[in-house]
Amino acid sequence: MTTASTVEFAKYQGLGNDFILVDNRHQKEPLITSEQAKQVCDRNFGVGGDGVIFALPSENGVDYTMRIFNSDGSEPEMCGNGIRCLARFVADKDGSGPVTQRIHTLAGVIQPSLLQDGQVCVDMGPPILDGPKVPTTLEPTQGSTVVQAKLNAAGKDWLMTCVSMGNPHAITYGTADGSSIKVDELDLAAIGPEFEKNTAFPARINTEFVEVLSRSHVKMRVWERGAGATLACGTGACALVVAGVLEGRIDRNCRVDLPGGPLQIEWREEDNHVYMTGPAEPVFTGSLRL
Ligand SMILES: N[C@H](CCC[C@H](N)C(=O)O)C(=O)O
């Protein structure tokens, strides 16, 4: 007879991108499987969330390891809003801990710092611009980088710039006929899957649609790989600033308005790292019966 197990969790959200967080630092194997993550993320039959995120035992001398399952059960390399929430969760649990945490992820060692004002600033590392490493099969246009490459999807020719922040992103600021995007007019549920599952993206793709308000202020909506239309995507906000700089549209320090609220993103010239600053809020705690 299998005995049901209970798993303690905390729900946190970053700009409405919400996650079930589990302190899993006592064992290497996640307490929730990717299959169970789908059920737990269901907003009617489960807790509800865009993903499940684990703090796991440390590897190679960092503070701890992060793994994440999307709400469809797939495992991405990295999550920007999620790592801000995880850093806040671990600091809340441990009572204090270092202001800056070093976290091992599938995208490398990522370093969130907890700020006095309650925000979290994350050194997201350098963007990966080599097309085949994003990965995409779209033809590179600037050396090995894919900038404003044409992609036909949802009945239009979009101009796509492809950037990885450890996880893959395709960003569009407009279509090949020169028109820009009014993000509030997009029917993401209709067009998002045509990008996410497009053959141009062998590992599927997160897609960001961007409207320029000024050289230091943009507005975006996102269709996420494995999670659909979310209220915010931290890695996506980082990737779209890199794309906007490569396209010559915006400056390296930019406010990004996401449906759930703003993030401040800076792609620093001196170290080529992308820095993301934004909130991470606790919502409730609970115990799951699995
Ligand atoms: N759906 C993403 C992972 C979550 C990223 C997003 N929520 C963020 O804040 O970066 C992927 O499959 O790559």
Side-chain angles (χ1 to χ4, degrees):
M1 181 189 76
T2 53
T3 50
S5 65
T6 57
V7 176
E8 302 303 314
F9 72 88
K11 187 84 190 292
Y12 277 63
Q13 59 84 15
L15 300 179
N17 197 199
D18 58 337
F19 301 96
I20 293 123
L21 305 182
V22 177
D23 186 353
N24 211 114
R25 289 176 286 180
H26 61 290
Q27 67 173 54
K28 204 163 162 43
E29 206 40 49
L31 289 166
I32 297 172
T33 67
S34 58
E35 257 320 294
Q36 289 169 332
K38 284 165 71 175
Q39 300 151 18
V40 169
C41 288
D42 187 287
R43 296 189 186 278
N44 295 99
F45 297 99
V47 173
D50 290 327
V52 181
I53 298 181
F54 305 91
L56 294 154
S58 165
E59 289 176 41
N60 52 47
V62 296
D63 293 308
Y64 55 90
T65 296
M66 166 177 141
R67 283 180 68 184
I68 167 174
F69 293 142
N70 281 316
S71 55
D72 75 345
S74 61
E75 180 169 6
E77 301 80 355
M78 186 38 205
C79 179
N81 291 315
I83 206 161
R84 294 200 316 275
C85 289
L86 190 64
R88 166 71 62 210
F89 167 61
V90 167
D92 291 348
K93 273 211 86 181
D94 292 353
S96 57
V99 171
T100 297
Q101 299 173 12
R102 287 171 43 79
I103 307 172
H104 176 81
T105 75
L106 292 178
V109 176
I110 304 293
Q111 303 189 70
S113 299
L114 305 176
L115 306 180
Q116 284 301 325
D117 66 1
Q119 299 242 84
V120 185
C121 176
V122 187
D123 173 353
M124 299 285 281
I128 297 160
L129 301 178
D130 187 54
K133 291 188 182 141
V134 171
T136 179
T137 57
L138 291 176
E139 275 305 305
T141 57
Q142 282 183 15
S144 67
T145 303
V146 176
V147 180
Q148 292 188 306
K150 201 185 286 187
L151 176 74
N152 186 269
K156 285 186 179 177
D157 284 336
W158 306 77
L159 296 180
M160 310 305 296
T161 294
C162 299
V163 176
S164 168
M165 292 305 298
N167 61 343
H169 296 268
I171 298 100
T172 181
Y173 281 79
T175 47
D177 62 5
S179 47
S180 56
I181 295 172
K182 291 283 176 219
V183 294
D184 294 336
E185 293 170 8
L186 294 171
D187 180 355
L188 285 186
I191 68 172
E194 290 206 34
F195 290 86
E196 179 187 1
K197 301 179 173 76
N198 196 292
T199 53
F201 307 115
R204 296 191 294 163
I205 199 81
N206 298 286
T207 308
E208 288 77 23
F209 303 86
V210 194
E211 192 172 330
V212 177
L213 305 178
S214 78
R215 287 194 61 87
S216 58
H217 189 189
V218 298
K219 185 176 179 182
M220 70 88 97
R221 288 177 68 203
V222 58
W223 180 267
E224 283 198 38
R225 174 181 67 170
T230 59
L231 292 181
C233 180
T235 50
C238 295
L240 71 84
V241 168
V242 172
V245 171
L246 292 174
E247 295 188 22
R249 295 175 187 268
I250 58 173
D251 299 331
R252 284 173 169 269
N253 199 336
C254 188
R255 171 178 156 158
V256 179
D257 287 356
L258 303 96
L263 285 173
Q264 194 64 33
I265 306 292
E266 183 185 6
W267 180 21
R268 275 192 203 152
E269 197 139 23
E270 55 271 30
D271 62 4
N272 187 38
H273 285 205
V274 185
Y275 293 81
M276 166 189 65
T277 304
E281 304 294 338
V283 186
F284 60 87
T285 58
S287 57
L288 269 167
R289 281 172 55 81
L290 294 172

